Amino acid sequence: MTIVPQRTGQPDPAIQIARLERRFAREREARLAAEAIAESGILALYQQQERLRLVQAIATAANLGDDPAIAFGEALREVCAFTGWPVGHVCMFDDDDPSRLVSSGVWYGADEPHLAPFREASAHITFTSGVGLPGQVLAAKAGVWVEDVTLEPNFPRALAAGRSGLRGGFAFPALIGEEVGAVIEFFQRSAIPPDPELLDMINQIGAQLGRVVERYRNARRLRIHNAELTTLYAEAQGQKEAAEAANRAKSNFLAVTSHEVRTPLNAVLGLSEALKREPLTVAQHELNDGVLASGQMLLRLLDAVLDMSRIEANQATARLSDFDIRAKLDAIIAIWTPRAREMEVNLRLDTSRLDLDRIRQDEGRVEQTLVNLISNALKFTPADAEVRIVAASADKQLRLEVIDGGPGVPEADRERIFEAFEQTDSGRAVGGAGLGLSICVGNVRVLEGQICSDRTDDGRSRFWFSCPVGDAAPAENLPVAFAPVRGLRVLAAEDNAGNRRVLQVLLAPAAVELTLVENGLQAVEALRAGRFDLILMDANMPVMDGPTAVRQIRAENIAGVSAVHMLTANVFAEDIERYLAAGADGVLGKPIQLPQLFAVLAECHDADLGQRRIV
């Protein structure tokens, strides 16, 4: 018999307990789920913060200067700390072969002795595209994961990795735009399955590390460029010093040449001037005038040739003077006619289109240019032919043409022949150095004119030049005579006997009291012993040269107020500056120009008269 308990209205305790247990279970599940969610969120937040910290750390490392060892070393440390992978290594491109990756020598965590085999193998291997872990990254331009490098066929360092206890590996590129600049690889002691999330995240920092390589390349290019510039600068300095030495040698050569030519030319012109005062026959006067004209032409040509260095440096200026262009042309023809006759060539002057007489221009350059063209024309003109000089003028422009009977200049050579040392085949055949026309070009440039070669209507070869001319003073306004300065006491220091004779002859009409000495020391002693109104001092003399003597004269004040003028064949600008710095009042060049010499005599005479009136 079953006894059924009576219902009292109170709940069954067992049921309540079961309900409570179910509720507690649900609450535990909810709490655990909430805790899991919270833990997951905290972990995700932590991981995100760590990633941000890594990115910031890599960005900081990427800006640690131009040395990749420092920047990559810090980057390896940060990545290894973030990933937990113990070993990191950087491969960079060979500086001499940008197609090969080699070990940069930058490692992290590889100092332990058991890792030496892997370090050694990495140091002696190169990777090309697709070869090994770095080569695969180079080919893919993205990260590559190898679960176990000791079992990977495309891992040349597999044996060394096994001996060093390394198995897992991954690598990613440091990118410069889309170009791989370096490969960073990491290794683990155990085989690790691929972690796409880690690899994707690591790939994102590759662009930041690319800046390290970019700066390294820029710094290397800059070093190479600077080294090249340093080399070029050293070469340029050497060339500059060589050019300066050559220029000094040229200047010294020109100075010596000028002095050696002017000294005998001074005697030729001086004695010819003195000869004009002698009772000569008409024929003798004509011969002497020819000597004077030729000597003066030689002097002008010498001045022009010596001035070529200034022309080359664009520093030459025209030496303007007034002269009779018709008389000049006649004199040139007269001088060259005998040579033309020897060559059986007829030399003819045509001035039918010339409406100028006296002009103002650089006489020496006009003369030298025309003489060079005539000389060339005679070389190329065959016997029994004619060389015609045509002078014309219009609108204050002088044009001089030289028309010859030679073969002419081919069209292709017309520009080239005006350059120094350039010649046509026919030019080499007749000899010469190829300098005549280049000198003409320099002269015409100083004259502010033009020079050209073409053909006449009848096919003859023609060289011509033109230049502007100014108005000249009338001939009657020029000084034609020199007044005597009787009683003027002149001391002249000159070591050349021929030049002493020239001074005696030239100064004889002036009725001066001339005292001649042979060097600067004798001049100083003569001034200590007596008074002179004018001292003429040569520059190059034995015992004591002119500038030294002038300095001593000024230091002792033994010349008083008397003028001291250098009378020398050394008349370059730097020479004149040196003479004036020594204390000279002026400079007279050789060959002696009588107007200049007598002008100095007149000044000294006037000064002497003034002194006497004061006394």
Side-chain angles (χ1 to χ4, degrees):
M1 177 175 178
T2 302
I3 298 176
V4 179
Q6 298 292 318
R7 297 182 65 86
T8 63
Q10 292 293 330
D12 187 348
I15 295 173
Q16 288 181 329
I17 291 171
R19 288 175 178 172
L20 285 173
E21 287 178 347
R22 287 195 297 272
R23 188 179 72 183
F24 289 153
R26 288 195 300 271
E27 288 177 353
R28 279 197 303 272
E29 290 176 358
R31 187 171 62 253
L32 290 173
E35 289 176 353
I37 292 172
E39 289 176 359
S40 177
I42 292 172
L43 179 61
L45 180 61
Y46 173 76
Q47 290 175 338
Q48 184 178 6
Q49 288 175 339
E50 283 299 296
R51 290 191 186 98
L52 288 173
R53 188 195 66 77
L54 176 63
V55 170
Q56 291 175 350
I58 294 298
T60 301
N63 293 299
L64 290 176
D66 297 332
D67 187 352
I70 297 175
F72 275 128
E74 184 64 19
L76 290 178
R77 187 183 70 79
E78 291 292 342
V79 174
C80 287
F82 177 80
T83 61
W85 288 56
V87 178
H89 175 232
V90 179
C91 291
M92 294 184 67
F93 285 99
D94 189 342
D95 288 337
D96 298 324
D97 186 354
S99 67
R100 302 186 310 162
L101 283 165
V102 297
S103 173
S104 66
V106 179
W107 289 84
Y108 176 79
D111 295 332
E112 298 178 20
H114 72 276
L115 293 173
F118 190 66
R119 285 177 60 103
E120 185 71 15
S122 299
H124 293 89
I125 191 169
T126 62
F127 304 96
T128 55
S129 181
V131 177
L133 181 57
Q136 294 178 64
V137 173
L138 176 60
K141 297 184 179 180
V144 175
W145 191 290
V146 180
E147 185 171 342
D148 191 337
V149 297
T150 63
L151 302 178
E152 171 61 41
N154 189 7
F155 194 83
R157 297 169 288 170
L159 182 61
R163 292 173 57 195
S164 297
L166 299 176
R167 298 187 66 187
F170 76 87
F172 67 95
L175 293 172
I176 306 171
E178 296 183 356
E179 176 192 358
V180 176
V183 173
I184 301 94
E185 54 183 7
F186 297 88
F187 300 95
Q188 183 60 274
R189 296 184 179 90
S190 58
I192 304 293
D195 185 343
E197 184 178 352
L198 173 61
L199 200 56
D200 181 64
M201 192 275 296
I202 291 296
N203 273 330
Q204 295 176 15
I205 67 176
Q208 296 184 40
L209 290 176
R211 296 202 300 271
V212 176
V213 182
E214 187 174 22
R215 280 202 314 278
Y216 168 74
R217 290 180 178 178
N218 290 338
R220 182 173 181 273
R221 279 194 292 266
L222 184 60
R223 286 194 301 272
I224 293 173
H225 182 61
N226 286 342
E228 291 174 347
L229 288 178
T230 301
T231 301
L232 289 174
Y233 177 76
E235 291 176 355
Q237 282 294 105
Q239 293 172 357
K240 177 186 174 185
E241 291 172 2
E244 289 175 347
N247 192 53
R248 286 192 298 271
K250 181 181 73 173
S251 298
N252 292 337
F253 171 76
L254 291 176
V256 171
T257 300
S258 174
H259 181 271
E260 295 305 312
V261 173
R262 287 173 185 273
T263 297
L265 193 56
N266 180 57
V268 171
L269 292 178
L271 295 175
S272 295
E273 282 286 351
L275 196 59
K276 287 175 63 175
R277 298 193 293 266
E278 297 299 320
L280 305 176
T281 65
V282 173
Q284 290 171 336
H285 273 296
E286 289 178 355
L287 292 174
N288 190 58
D289 289 343
V291 172
L292 274 173
S294 298
Q296 289 165 353
M297 180 183 293
L298 178 59
L299 179 60
R300 287 189 294 270
L301 294 181
L302 176 64
D303 289 337
V305 170
L306 294 177
D307 212 23
M308 278 304 296
S309 59
R310 294 187 180 89
I311 292 177
E312 292 169 357
N314 292 319
Q315 296 175 345
T317 56
R319 299 178 180 180
L320 299 179
S321 63
D322 299 340
F323 64 98
D324 188 325
I325 184 60
R326 291 181 182 273
K328 175 60 59 183
L329 294 173
D330 289 337
I332 292 173
I333 296 298
I335 290 171
W336 280 91
T337 294
R339 175 60 177 160
R341 286 176 181 163
E342 291 176 6
M343 302 175 70
E344 299 180 358
V345 173
N346 181 32
L347 190 61
R348 187 164 68 88
L349 175 63
D350 179 1
T351 58
S352 59
R353 290 186 289 147
L354 181 65
D355 59 6
L356 296 173
D357 290 314
R358 292 186 59 75
I359 62 173
R360 185 169 182 79
Q361 199 23 295
D362 190 323
E363 180 181 2
R365 296 192 193 281
V366 171
E367 182 177 63
Q368 184 190 34
T369 304
L370 181 58
V371 164
N372 281 357
L373 297 183
I374 292 174
S375 176
N376 277 353
L378 290 175
K379 289 178 186 177
F380 292 105
T381 301
D384 299 326
E386 178 185 79
V387 171
R388 183 156 49 101
I389 293 89
V390 179
S393 58
D395 300 325
K396 292 192 175 182
Q397 286 279 330
L398 173 67
R399 177 182 170 109
L400 296 174
E401 303 176 359
V402 178
I403 303 168
D404 63 56
V409 180
E411 187 69 32
D413 293 332
R414 284 187 179 165
E415 293 295 329
R416 183 173 63 86
I417 60 170
F418 288 101
E419 298 176 7
F421 303 105
E422 291 288 345
Q423 291 178 295
T424 61
D425 292 338
S426 57
R428 281 186 288 272
V430 298
L435 287 172
L437 289 178
S438 67
I439 291 174
C440 292
V441 170
N443 284 340
V444 172
R445 185 164 66 243
V446 176
L447 297 174
E448 299 181 354
Q450 301 179 65
I451 185 168
C452 189
S453 168
D454 56 20
R455 288 187 179 275
T456 60
D457 293 339
D458 59 359
R460 300 182 68 191
S461 176
R462 172 172 57 193
F463 284 82
W464 61 268
F465 72 97
S466 63
C467 62
V469 295
D471 295 327
E476 56 269 24
N477 291 344
L478 297 177
V480 295
F482 309 110
V485 284
R486 192 176 304 278
L488 199 68
R489 286 161 295 184
V490 178
L491 172 65
E494 171 63 66
D495 64 315
N496 184 278
N499 286 336
R500 290 198 297 272
R501 176 58 180 159
V502 169
L503 276 172
Q504 289 176 321
V505 171
L506 292 181
L507 292 177
V512 301
E513 296 179 15
L514 178 62
T515 299
L516 292 168
V517 294
E518 297 182 10
N519 57 61
L521 181 59
Q522 291 180 3
V524 171
E525 292 172 348
L527 282 167
R528 288 172 180 159
R531 175 181 168 276
F532 294 90
D533 303 301
L534 171 63
I535 298 94
L536 300 176
M537 187 76 67
D538 189 21
N540 295 338
M541 295 182 292
V543 184
M544 180 184 288
D545 63 26
T548 303
V550 172
R551 279 193 293 270
Q552 187 163 339
I553 289 168
R554 293 308 187 196
E556 296 183 22
N557 195 28
I558 52 179
V561 297
S562 300
V564 179
H565 284 257
M566 302 299 295
L567 180 58
T568 175
N570 296 66
V571 287
F572 283 95
E574 55 270 24
D575 294 321
I576 294 174
E577 291 177 5
R578 183 163 54 93
Y579 303 150
L580 297 179
D585 296 300
V587 180
L588 295 170
K590 292 177 183 175
I592 298 170
Q593 302 297 306
L594 283 180
Q596 297 176 7
L597 177 59
F598 274 76
V600 170
L601 291 173
E603 289 177 6
C604 293
H605 184 261
D606 293 343
D608 183 56
L609 288 178
Q611 246 346 79
R612 292 177 185 177
R613 291 193 188 99
I614 293 173
V615 175

